[in-house]
Amino acid sequence: MFPKVFTDMRTKLLAHVKRVVIKIGSGVISDENGLDSDKIANICDDVEQLRQRGFEVVLVSSAAIAAGKHVLGIKGRPQTIPLKQAAAAIGQSRLMREFKDGFHHHGLQAAQVLLTRDDLANRRRYLNARNTLMTLLEYKVIPIINENDTVVVDELRFGDNDNLSSMVTNLVEAQLLVILSDVDGLYDRDPRQHPEAQLISNVVRITPEIEKMAGNGSSPLGTGGMVTKLKAAKRATLYGAGTAIINGRNSHNLLHLFDGHELGTYFLPARDPMAARKHWIAFTKKPRGKIFLDDGAYNAVAEKGKSLLPSGISRIEGSFERGDAVRLCTLEGQEFAKGVTNYTSSELLRIQGKRTSDIAIILGYQYGDEIVHRDNLVKLETEI
Ligand code: GLU
């Protein structure tokens, strides 16, 4: 299916990698009875090897819930949010302890970083989280990130750690995201139903055809399935990082990957990657409202890449603050872009449809001519 030119492609691509985010799925390091200590120790050994080879490593580990649920006598996946949160509260410290022990005999230190989507959606907190992670790396400590499951409410959730790991890849400016899963990679059809299914080795671009291959299965222990992994790969590759999905249950696959072996599925970084800030706007910031543009403004923003001025706004929806993300829509309601607004919704109600020179007259102050500056605007074709 893919030409031979890919044979030593992985070695070449990996030559540019310095910092790597490794996402560890619940299905890799736990089972119905809780955490698999041997597996975690293996991963720690591999990470130590990678460190020896000069890579900086950030881990995103699932399995807090899987590590705590048996204490509550829960079989299968906990069914309610409080049960999941209680299980995570019990499991997170156990999970960290295993990693701490696994790294300890290599003389390495680990640090726990728990995040919510909200932490990364707020630019200041995003930069704070980034500084913390960069400092840990500078001090050669291994950050182990998970979603802060015990406190997070539904609308603030990353939802799954595949998603979280792709955002962390952007946050720490890693060149590679490795997703350790309990499957071998992306198949051209569901291998559980079609034994003749073929593993896809390399993906140049995530097309709708590739997306169809992911189906909608999910693993019994974690939250994500192949769909969420593909979404994560799409986000990471758009940011300019390669993404590998490999089977983490096979011992030392991680090292084999870095040795250049063609295992799992490798998604090449996008040829035309998004700047980190635009990536953050597109994927991390949650939109709070909508701005509807008249045809002229739509044309200027969508076709000519211009900033949005007040004159082109025909109406707005929702309540938002300066600095929030908003959806930009056509008059018919078709959403076509996402951007960060310089004005609040109540200010926009007063200046919509007016000339730029009227902003200061109407409001008595002005933050700038643009309602949404083109540097803070991302067209939807790149969003998922
Ligand atoms: N944060 C969850 C946990 O640690 C896992 C989420 C996921 O499976 O993606 O148990």
Side-chain angles (χ1 to χ4, degrees), residues 309-313 350-359 362:
L309 303 177
S311 55
I313 300 177
R350 296 167 63 197
I351 57 176
Q352 63 185 29
K354 300 290 197 288
R355 283 185 312 219
T356 306
S357 53
D358 290 339
I359 300 178
I362 297 170

Side-chain angles (χ1 to χ4, degrees), residues 23 26 61-66 146-147 149 159-162 222-224:
K23 185 260 171 175
S26 302
S61 182
S62 302
I65 295 172
N146 197 359
E147 176 148 23
D149 290 306
D160 58 78
N161 277 4
D162 296 323
T223 310

Side-chain angles (χ1 to χ4, degrees), residues 182-201:
D182 51 3
V183 295
D184 289 337
L186 175 69
Y187 282 84
D188 61 355
R189 66 201 77 181
D190 189 342
R192 287 166 302 189
Q193 284 161 30
H194 305 273
E196 74 286 9
Q198 298 275 325
L199 182 74
I200 311 281
S201 288

Side-chain angles (χ1 to χ4, degrees), residues 74-347:
I74 298 169
K75 299 247 178 302
R77 218 184 280 198
Q79 289 308 318
T80 65
I81 290 175
L83 277 180
K84 276 187 201 152
Q85 295 185 315
I90 298 165
Q92 180 61 32
S93 57
R94 295 173 185 229
L95 180 64
M96 279 309 295
R97 196 199 165 96
E98 295 281 350
F99 276 111
K100 182 174 162 279
D101 291 349
F103 283 127
H104 186 70
H105 72 269
H106 293 298
L108 290 172
Q109 301 293 333
Q112 167 180 276
V113 179
L114 298 178
L115 294 172
T116 67
R117 190 186 160 115
D118 211 32
D119 294 326
L120 298 192
N122 173 302
R123 191 76 186 162
R124 250 185 72 206
R125 274 151 71 190
Y126 176 92
L127 294 173
N128 258 336
R130 195 186 125 91
N131 287 341
T132 306
L133 290 167
M134 295 304 190
T135 307
L136 289 169
L137 289 176
E138 199 183 310
Y139 280 79
K140 315 246 177 280
V141 176
I142 305 204
I144 304 180
I145 304 173
N146 197 359
E147 176 148 23
N148 196 352
D149 290 306
T150 49
V151 296
V152 82
V153 291
D154 238 11
E155 63 272 22
L156 299 181
R157 286 181 65 81
F158 290 105
D160 58 78
N161 277 4
D162 296 323
N163 184 16
L164 171 60
S165 64
S166 67
M167 296 193 186
V168 167
T169 304
N170 181 26
L171 181 69
V172 300
E173 294 174 22
Q175 295 82 27
L176 180 69
L177 167 63
V178 180
I179 298 180
L180 294 183
S181 171
D182 51 3
V183 295
D184 289 337
L186 175 69
Y187 282 84
D188 61 355
R189 66 201 77 181
D190 189 342
R192 287 166 302 189
Q193 284 161 30
H194 305 273
E196 74 286 9
Q198 298 275 325
L199 182 74
I200 311 281
S201 288
N202 298 293
V203 176
V204 178
R205 213 165 70 83
I206 302 174
T207 57
E209 189 201 352
I210 296 282
E211 279 170 339
K212 239 189 251 157
M213 293 176 186
N216 46 24
S218 73
S219 93
L221 284 162
T223 310
M226 196 42 80
V227 176
T228 59
K229 289 180 183 41
L230 217 56
K231 281 191 174 173
K234 197 165 179 178
R235 290 192 190 101
T237 52
L238 271 175
Y239 157 69
T243 301
I245 301 176
I246 61 172
N247 194 327
R249 292 206 64 87
N250 295 351
S251 266
H252 307 308
N253 254 358
L254 191 55
L255 291 185
H256 295 326
L257 175 79
F258 280 84
D259 288 337
H261 292 211
E262 283 270 332
L263 54 91
T265 303
Y266 192 96
F267 300 84
L268 273 79
R271 282 212 189 100
D272 181 17
M274 265 187 205
R277 182 173 165 80
K278 288 217 174 193
H279 190 277
W280 173 75
I281 293 169
F283 300 120
T284 313
K285 250 186 120 50
K286 219 170 178 173
R288 300 272 174 228
K290 288 183 180 175
I291 300 182
F292 296 84
L293 279 62
D294 65 24
D295 292 347
Y298 167 77
N299 198 31
V301 172
E303 310 293 338
K304 302 203 180 105
K306 296 266 168 64
S307 298
L308 174 65
L309 303 177
S311 55
I313 300 177
S314 65
R315 66 189 173 90
I316 64 163
E317 204 178 278
S319 155
F320 44 84
E321 295 302 319
R322 176 172 149 74
D324 276 347
V326 288
R327 299 179 198 277
L328 302 190
C329 305
T330 62
L331 279 181
E332 293 76 37
Q334 175 73 38
E335 183 187 342
F336 68 93
K338 209 171 143 188
V340 176
T341 173
N342 283 330
Y343 290 85
T344 68
S345 48
S346 37
E347 287 163 341

